[in-house]
């Protein structure tokens, strides 16, 4: 039956909702039949449940919702081999902690919190980022120490390499420029006093107390290694991930 047929036949079993049709010569009361809609398919509202089991035990910070794109801005350290070597060293050192240790995916240095961007804002937002980041010059990035962090929900603890003082100052300047764009789009800005770092390993829950005793030993090792090799990374690009889309911004030479 067509949609127009449903419109012409739609009615109610209630006497109060009967449709009355008047003509000049007589008044007739016609009761319309209720159409049979049992064969019409109903599309249910999308309901995606979080399943930490398929994400290594990780939980979403916010629920999935159609039209919302999880986004963040970050730096990729160019020498991944150097970072992976440190992952193996750290994994050996933290083996004394009675908890499963996992390697971090997509190793990076965050320049923003994870924020939600609506689809129709992706193009103007990325264009605004281009305007702000286009004048930033390339720079050298170095690390200073091992540091332990917990996420805001205290569901995960991270073992990380913190950048050194001069790199932190440079990244703070970039983050302030990004905050201007975030504020323009009424999105959450980064932390007031950010500590820029690359997270390498993580544990479930808050393990700061368990890791406190071995931090000094870890830092003695990293200081000797960094001093010996004078390790720095040349940063000439910044990145933005919006859902499954990746945007890259080249810095000035």
């Amino acid at each position: 039956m067509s949609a127009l047929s449903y419109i012409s036949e739609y009615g109610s079993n209630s006497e109060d909702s009967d449709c009355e049709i008047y003509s000049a010569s007589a008044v007739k009361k016609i009761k319309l039949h209720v159409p049979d809609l049992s064969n019409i398919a109903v599309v249910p509202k999308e309901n995606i449940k979080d399943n930490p089991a398929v994400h290594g035990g990780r939980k979403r910070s916010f629920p999935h919702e159609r039209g919302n794109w999880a986004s963040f801005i970050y730096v990729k350290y160019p020498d991944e081999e150097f970072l992976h070597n440190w992952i193996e060293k750290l994994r050996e050192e933290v083996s004394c902690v009675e908890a499963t240790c996992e390697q971090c995916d997509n190793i990076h240095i965050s320049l923003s919190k994870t924020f939600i961007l609506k689809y129709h804002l992706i193009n103007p937002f990325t264009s605004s980022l281009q305007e702000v980041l286009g004048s930033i010059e390339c720079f050298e990035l170095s690390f200073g120490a091992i540091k332990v962090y917990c996420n805001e929900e205290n569901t995960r603890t991270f073992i990380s390499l913190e950048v050194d003082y001069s790199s932190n100052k440079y990244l703070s300047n970039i983050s302030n420029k990004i905050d201007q764009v975030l504020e323009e789009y009424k999105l959450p800005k980064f932390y007031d006093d950010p500590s820029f770092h690359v997270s390498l390993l993580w544990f479930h829950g808050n393990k700061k107390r368990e890791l406190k005793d071995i931090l000094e030993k870890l830092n003695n090792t990293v200081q000797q290694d960094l001093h010996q090799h004078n390790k720095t990374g040349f940063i000439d690009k910044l990145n933005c991930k919006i859902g499954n889309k990746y945007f890259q911004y080249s810095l000035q030479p």
Side-chain angles (χ1 to χ4, degrees), residues 26-132:
V27 176
K28 293 184 179 181
K29 193 174 185 180
I30 302 175
K31 188 172 183 178
L32 303 179
H33 299 289
V34 178
D36 181 10
L37 303 178
S38 60
N39 294 324
I40 305 300
V42 177
V43 180
K45 182 179 179 181
E46 184 180 36
N47 184 21
I48 297 178
K49 293 184 178 180
D50 186 24
N51 184 3
V54 300
H55 302 292
R58 291 169 291 177
K59 296 182 180 180
R60 288 182 180 272
S61 300
F62 38 78
H64 173 87
E65 185 176 335
R66 184 180 292 277
N68 286 352
W69 293 60
S71 314
F72 70 103
I73 303 159
Y74 62 99
V75 174
K76 288 285 287 185
Y77 190 74
D79 190 349
E80 291 192 8
E81 183 179 354
F82 169 75
L83 296 179
H84 283 287
N85 287 338
W86 265 104
I87 287 174
E88 296 309 315
K89 291 179 183 179
L90 292 171
R91 198 188 288 274
E92 293 178 7
E93 296 290 348
V94 301
S95 59
C96 58
V97 178
E98 296 180 1
T100 303
C101 181
E102 303 286 350
Q103 180 176 326
C104 292
D105 299 326
N106 188 24
I107 296 173
H108 64 274
I109 301 169
S110 295
L111 296 175
S112 75
K113 296 180 180 179
T114 300
F115 54 90
I116 294 297
L117 197 63
K118 296 292 186 182
Y119 179 78
H120 68 279
L121 292 176
I122 293 177
N123 284 340
F125 179 82
T126 53
S127 295
S128 296
L129 270 185
Q130 177 65 60
E131 292 179 11
V132 167

Side-chain angles (χ1 to χ4, degrees), residues 5 9 11 28 77 79 81 89 107 118 121 151 175 183 194 196 201-202 221 239 241:
S5 300
E9 291 188 15
K28 293 184 179 181
Y77 190 74
D79 190 349
E81 183 179 354
K89 291 179 183 179
I107 296 173
K118 296 292 186 182
L121 292 176
N151 61 0
S175 180
E183 188 173 24
F196 298 98
L201 298 170
W202 66 275
T221 304
N239 305 274
K241 183 177 184 293

Side-chain angles (χ1 to χ4, degrees), residues 6 12 17 31 43 70 74 87 93 97 118-119 121 135 159 166-167 170 181 188 194 200-201 204 207 217 224 233 252:
Y6 288 141
S12 169
S17 61
K31 188 172 183 178
V43 180
Y74 62 99
I87 287 174
E93 296 290 348
V97 178
K118 296 292 186 182
Y119 179 78
L121 292 176
S135 61
I159 300 177
S166 60
S167 299
Y170 204 100
V181 178
L200 303 176
L201 298 170
H204 288 291
K207 301 296 181 184
K217 181 181 178 182
Q224 292 175 7
Q252 294 291 328

Side-chain angles (χ1 to χ4, degrees), residues 228-240:
Q228 180 180 354
H229 295 95
N230 192 27
K231 190 66 182 177
T232 62
F234 184 71
I235 306 300
D236 60 355
K237 296 179 180 65
L238 301 178
N239 305 274
C240 178

Side-chain angles (χ1 to χ4, degrees), residues 1-18:
M1 183 176 290
S2 70
L4 289 177
S5 300
Y6 288 141
I7 293 173
S8 66
E9 291 188 15
Y10 180 78
S12 169
N13 290 327
S14 170
E15 290 294 329
D16 293 335
S17 61
D18 286 345

